[in-house]
Amino acid sequence: IFSLKKIDDDFWASLEESLIEGDVGVDYTLRLIDELKRLKPSSPEEAKELLKERLLSLFNYEIPPWVFEPSSKPEVIIFAGVNGSGKTTTVAKVGRMLSRRGFSVILSACDTFRAAAGEQLEIWGERLNLRVIKGEPGSDPGAVLYDALSSALSKGVDYVLVDTAGRLHTKYNLMEELKKLGRVAQKAVGRSPRGVLVLDATTGQNALRQAQEFSKSVPIEGVVLAKYDSMAKGGVVITLRGELGLPIILVGTGEGEDDIETFSPNEFLKRLLS
Amino acid sequence: RLRERFEGILSLLRRKGKLSEEDVDNALRQIRLALLEADVHYKVVKDLLSKVREKALKEEVLSSISPADQVLKILYEELVGVMKGGAPRLSSSSEPPSLYMLVGLQGSGKTTTAVKLAKLLKKDGKRVVLVAADVKRPAAKEQLETLSKPLDFQVVGGKTPFDAVSSGIRLAKERLCEAIIVDSAGRLHIDEEMLSELRELEKQFNFQEILLVVDSMMGQEALKVGSAFAEAVNLTGVILTKLDGDARGGAALSMSYVLGKPIRFVGVGERIDDLEPFYPDRIVSRILG
Ligand SMILES: Nc1nc2c(ncn2[C@@H]2O[C@H](COP(=O)(O)OP(=O)(O)OP(=O)(O)O)[C@@H](O)[C@H]2O)c(=O)[nH]1
Ligand SMILES: Nc1nc2c(ncn2[C@@H]2O[C@H](COP(=O)(O)OP(=O)(O)OP(=O)(O)O)[C@@H](O)[C@H]2O)c(=O)[nH]1
Ligand SMILES: [Mg+2]
Ligand SMILES: [Mg+2]
């Protein structure tokens, strides 16, 4: 759109479509365009620069330090999200990333519900030489977490990464189970765990509902945008940041153990505004 | 918000006696935003609403007794028309065993749906072989095995998807099974190599049906995803999953529009029983909030 010749109605219509197509959502798209119109850009290039500046200011935050080193030992991170979003694979990738940095890591296989969930994480653990604590299928996820945390505390482990079962935020009892998991962590290590929402980059406007509801069950302190290699724009994160103040911390860029990067606002905007 | 928009449109239109062209355009503007909020692709919205506009601007609609309801009826019918349901049962090949394959993006629900379909076939008295053609994902075969254990289905795998399908066909013939369901690996619609793999599988084997499994919470990407998979293989239908959530499901409309293929089933939960036939009017009501 920005290669169009001038600012006219066609330009604004194309810009609106481009943002909508990037899953930015109606509210934010109309808001951004409205703000942009008031700044009276004289050319499409200037409009692009202004929009970029506006969005960069929204993403002007530090990646939380606990992503790079534990604020206290063990740093407990609960990975939550809807079914199939990429949690288990993300837990493996983050485990690998941290262990390559020299930190000790335990992966807690707290999905005791889904078929072969424990096996899936166990295979990752073997491949990456990461310790996995799992329980019997059908056992209480809280009990598995308790074991993982006891072991982490006694061994002075730096990170406990908690893989949880996929769950739709519309299911009350599953959201209560997640709350209980947070309480187990709180009780065992004396402080609240970090909640991370794993979000599929191809998700549409339901992402906002997911973030809102999951935040009620566990303190969501960051979002991992998985499957960003799908080339989806992931525009929903603008609303997650703007409305809920959530930082996007990591981006999943494939199915391999090293396919994870820290979130780069510049890369994100480059794709969104391309 | 979606609900507010529609109630706003309705009350606005209902207050008027006869509708003017401007009234219809104002209403369509709101309807457009509502559909976009529901994740329907903007190109699909544009095309469908221009059709609605054309029909709504007919004199008999504008000066009918309740033009507002007329316009909404036209909208509703236009959307339902795009989403004609297909047969909520798998078609059978003239010569058994019938070979079916599920394809789609990572995490869309293929493995779970494969066993759901197997159970459906079993209810119809058919014997089913499940093929674990996902040789990449850790514990993919174990997942199929664990899910199908209570129903006692045979699960076969292989070193490659081609080996797995061949083994599945061989076993089905030996055991006189009427159906083979192939669970394939999740893949990106932009992964040329993985799409070629599907093309090769289609060339090598005679599939009775190839169904695209789509997560109902997908956003604008639905249009690209649908066309890419449809271009790679001859899809016979779509299965929409996770409808037990609260996603509006606009991706369903985009998919139907771009594929021209029917949505056959919907996944409404994680259990093997959680598969239902697709009803177009239900999803349209859901999209319209
Ligand atoms: N292309 C791509 N695929 C990914 C990425 N992250 C995860 N996946 C794939 O997405 C699928 C689902 O990943 P999982 O890690 O099992 O997702 P999950 O959230 O744990 O799923 P449930 O536990 O069933 O809710 C797998 O096929 C992964 O390989 C990513 O960043 N890119
Ligand atoms: N709530 C709900 N969950 C579902 C539904 N269908 C599948 N799931 C869940 O979604 C997650 C992903 O399902 P899978 O069957 O592993 O998806 P997949 O497409 O095989 O994933 P990949 O093989 O990694 O591409 C699992 O947690 C399933 O239990 C559904 O209709 N409703
Ligand atoms: Mg998982
Ligand atoms: Mg699978």
Side-chain angles (χ1 to χ4, degrees):
Chain A
I1 348 107
F2 298 106
S3 55
L4 289 177
K5 290 290 183 295
K6 59 183 167 58
I7 303 273
D8 56 11
D9 285 346
D10 277 349
F11 171 79
W12 293 118
S14 302
L15 178 59
E16 184 183 289
E17 284 178 345
S18 174
L19 292 174
I20 291 288
E21 195 181 32
D23 285 318
V24 173
V26 168
D27 275 356
Y28 247 92
T29 296
L30 295 182
R31 194 185 309 189
L32 290 170
I33 295 206
D34 199 56
E35 283 177 19
L36 203 55
K37 276 181 174 167
R38 278 194 248 128
L39 294 174
K40 299 208 189 329
S42 53
S43 69
E45 296 83 57
E46 190 191 353
K48 183 179 187 178
E49 278 316 302
L50 289 170
L51 186 56
K52 199 155 168 254
E53 269 171 48
R54 165 69 174 91
L55 290 172
L56 276 176
S57 69
L58 192 63
F59 289 103
N60 183 19
Y61 56 80
E62 289 293 322
I63 304 279
W66 48 266
V67 175
F68 303 114
E69 61 182 284
S71 56
S72 50
K73 303 212 303 192
E75 189 72 74
V76 183
I77 308 176
I78 296 183
F79 291 79
V82 300
N83 307 73
S85 66
K87 300 172 292 299
T88 305
T89 311
T90 298
V91 165
K93 291 173 185 175
V94 173
R96 162 126 172 113
M97 179 179 90
L98 294 170
S99 84
R100 288 187 71 185
R101 281 212 178 96
F103 295 111
S104 53
V105 180
I106 284 179
L107 306 185
S108 181
C110 289
D111 179 356
T112 53
F113 169 76
R114 205 211 67 210
E119 287 88 323
Q120 185 186 2
L121 193 61
E122 217 169 26
I123 291 172
W124 276 116
E126 285 163 13
R127 278 186 197 172
L128 307 177
N129 200 15
L130 297 171
R131 182 131 170 266
V132 176
I133 304 246
K134 77 183 233 248
E136 282 305 308
S139 63
D140 173 24
V144 177
L145 180 57
Y146 184 80
D147 287 346
L149 295 176
S150 306
S151 179
L153 284 165
S154 69
K155 298 198 162 83
V157 169
D158 297 309
Y159 282 94
V160 174
L161 307 181
V162 187
D163 184 21
T164 64
R167 70 201 68 221
L168 295 182
H169 49 283
T170 46
K171 313 218 162 158
Y172 177 78
N173 53 322
L174 297 183
M175 299 308 278
E176 285 299 299
E177 177 190 86
L178 192 59
K179 251 189 215 162
K180 172 158 172 262
L181 214 59
R183 285 198 295 269
V184 168
Q186 166 81 44
K187 203 148 173 265
V189 304
R191 77 199 105 79
S192 175
R194 313 276 187 188
V196 166
L197 180 73
V198 179
L199 179 70
D200 186 325
T202 64
T203 309
Q205 298 311 302
N206 195 247
L208 180 61
R209 289 287 303 139
Q210 293 175 22
Q212 284 167 333
E213 293 306 307
F214 274 89
S215 297
K216 293 179 186 162
S217 288
V218 61
I220 298 290
E221 298 188 29
V223 175
V224 174
L225 194 61
K227 308 176 198 169
Y228 196 59
D229 48 318
S230 61
M231 295 311 284
K233 308 279 196 309
V236 290
V237 308
I238 291 177
T239 303
L240 297 189
R241 177 66 192 158
E243 290 297 302
L244 305 178
L246 289 177
I248 316 310
I249 57 180
L250 298 167
V251 178
T253 55
E255 303 191 70
E257 62 261 24
D258 292 318
D259 294 330
I260 189 152
E261 305 170 2
T262 45
F263 177 72
S264 154
N266 277 307
E267 289 302 306
F268 171 77
L269 289 178
K270 193 155 155 243
R271 180 186 292 192
L272 181 67
L273 304 179
S274 58
Chain B
R1 279 209 186 90
L2 205 79
R3 161 135 288 146
E4 290 165 16
R5 264 196 220 285
F6 267 108
E7 303 198 328
I9 299 166
L10 271 182
S11 59
L12 196 84
L13 292 184
R14 277 180 181 149
R15 260 182 269 130
K16 310 234 158 182
K18 177 171 156 72
L19 290 187
S20 69
E21 185 166 324
E22 189 184 352
D23 293 328
V24 171
D25 281 337
N26 284 335
L28 289 177
R29 227 183 313 276
Q30 288 302 309
I31 290 171
R32 173 176 178 267
L33 296 180
L35 291 175
L36 292 175
E37 278 175 341
D39 288 327
V40 183
H41 195 277
Y42 79 86
K43 286 182 185 162
V44 176
V45 173
K46 201 172 191 174
D47 190 54
L48 293 179
L49 292 190
S50 74
K51 293 196 171 97
V52 169
R53 182 176 193 274
E54 204 177 326
K55 291 177 181 154
L57 290 184
K58 298 234 160 73
E59 185 54 38
E60 59 271 24
V61 175
L62 299 178
S63 45
S64 68
I65 295 182
S66 54
D69 296 320
Q70 284 292 318
V71 173
L72 287 181
K73 180 161 173 287
I74 291 169
L75 171 70
Y76 184 86
E77 287 175 350
E78 194 67 35
L79 299 189
V80 170
V82 172
M83 309 244 270
K84 54 182 167 47
R89 55 166 37 91
L90 295 172
S91 64
S92 305
S93 59
S94 47
E95 249 196 66
S98 299
L99 186 64
Y100 310 103
M101 180 162 61
L102 298 184
V103 302
L105 294 180
Q106 289 88 345
S108 58
K110 300 173 291 301
T111 304
T112 313
T113 303
V115 187
K116 288 179 181 179
L117 285 173
K119 175 154 190 184
L120 203 68
L121 289 171
K122 181 171 183 176
K123 273 203 201 133
D124 252 0
K126 305 225 162 85
R127 277 175 303 259
V128 189
V129 167
L130 285 160
V131 172
D134 180 352
V135 303
K136 268 196 310 161
R137 176 174 153 146
K141 181 157 182 266
E142 284 85 331
Q143 188 184 0
L144 261 187
E145 285 167 336
T146 303
L147 284 172
S148 47
K149 202 137 162 244
L151 296 161
D152 194 29
F153 294 125
Q154 295 280 345
V155 178
V156 299
K159 281 232 150 49
T160 71
F162 300 88
D163 288 344
V165 177
S166 301
S167 301
I169 293 173
R170 198 164 41 245
L171 184 71
K173 288 185 174 160
E174 277 172 25
R175 303 281 176 95
L176 302 180
C177 296
E178 289 94 340
I180 305 161
I181 299 178
V182 178
D183 175 29
S184 72
R187 67 203 66 216
L188 293 180
H189 58 297
I190 53 167
D191 188 335
E192 269 315 312
E193 203 179 315
M194 289 301 275
L195 289 185
S196 297
E197 180 182 88
L198 289 184
R199 258 183 220 113
E200 274 312 303
L201 284 166
E202 189 178 32
K203 269 206 201 113
Q204 263 197 45
F205 303 102
N206 183 14
F207 287 100
Q208 179 63 17
E209 297 231 37
I210 300 180
L211 299 162
L212 180 66
V213 178
V214 175
D215 193 325
S216 59
M217 64 184 85
M218 183 151 44
Q220 296 283 303
E221 223 59 20
L223 211 68
K224 289 196 187 116
V225 172
S227 18
F229 275 91
E231 201 253 343
V233 291
N234 179 23
L235 295 173
T236 56
V238 170
I239 299 181
L240 205 61
T241 61
K242 308 176 201 171
L243 270 176
D244 43 323
D246 61 4
R248 245 36 219 238
L253 191 58
S254 310
M255 275 287 162
S256 302
Y257 181 89
V258 75
L259 297 178
K261 295 288 157 87
I263 299 177
R264 310 278 289 285
F265 303 97
V266 297
V268 294
E270 295 193 73
R271 296 167 320 151
I272 298 314
D273 290 312
D274 296 331
L275 190 72
E276 293 177 358
F278 170 72
Y279 298 108
D281 54 327
R282 280 193 204 168
I283 190 93
V284 169
S285 302
R286 181 181 176 126
I287 289 172
L288 292 179

